Amino acid sequence: MSPLADHFLQLAYDPGISPKGGGLPGLAVLKNVVNSINLFCIVAVVGSLAVSLAVWAWGHFTGGHQAEANGKKGATVAAGAALGLGAANGIVAFFSALGSQVH
């Protein structure tokens, strides 16, 4: 074979690696830590949404257009963060399953 064909055969080699639970100690602890971080972030997003909505209302009723715009922006960002935090597990699972189909 030519050196170019050998190179492509090396690129096509399947190492046979796939995710497997229970291979290392501490997986349950790691999952617990990640779940706690997710909960902490969701609580922080609830607080930031409350503050952003208050700033939006305050800017609206006092005629502060800059404050109103910043409140709207903060509420939108907080809603997006809540969406991302809630969907994180599903997004990772979706793309992991999609990636495992690549051959």
Side-chain angles (χ1 to χ4, degrees), residues 50-85:
V51 169
S52 295
L53 293 174
V55 168
W56 185 357
W58 177 73
H60 175 76
F61 289 114
T62 61
H65 300 294
Q66 186 69 28
E68 184 178 2
N70 285 337
K72 286 179 186 178
K73 190 181 342 176
T76 303
V77 169
L83 177 67
L85 287 168

Side-chain angles (χ1 to χ4, degrees), residues 10-73:
Q10 289 174 356
L11 288 177
Y13 177 73
D14 180 13
I17 297 173
S18 63
K20 179 181 175 187
L24 291 175
L27 183 60
V29 173
L30 181 61
K31 285 181 181 180
N32 192 17
V33 168
V34 171
N35 287 337
S36 298
I37 290 170
N38 196 1
L39 176 63
F40 180 79
C41 291
I42 288 173
V43 170
V45 166
V46 169
S48 66
L49 181 62
V51 169
S52 295
L53 293 174
V55 168
W56 185 357
W58 177 73
H60 175 76
F61 289 114
T62 61
H65 300 294
Q66 186 69 28
E68 184 178 2
N70 285 337
K72 286 179 186 178
K73 190 181 342 176

Side-chain angles (χ1 to χ4, degrees), residues 3-15 103:
L4 185 61
D6 286 339
H7 180 69
F8 282 123
L9 285 176
Q10 289 174 356
L11 288 177
Y13 177 73
D14 180 13
H103 295 286

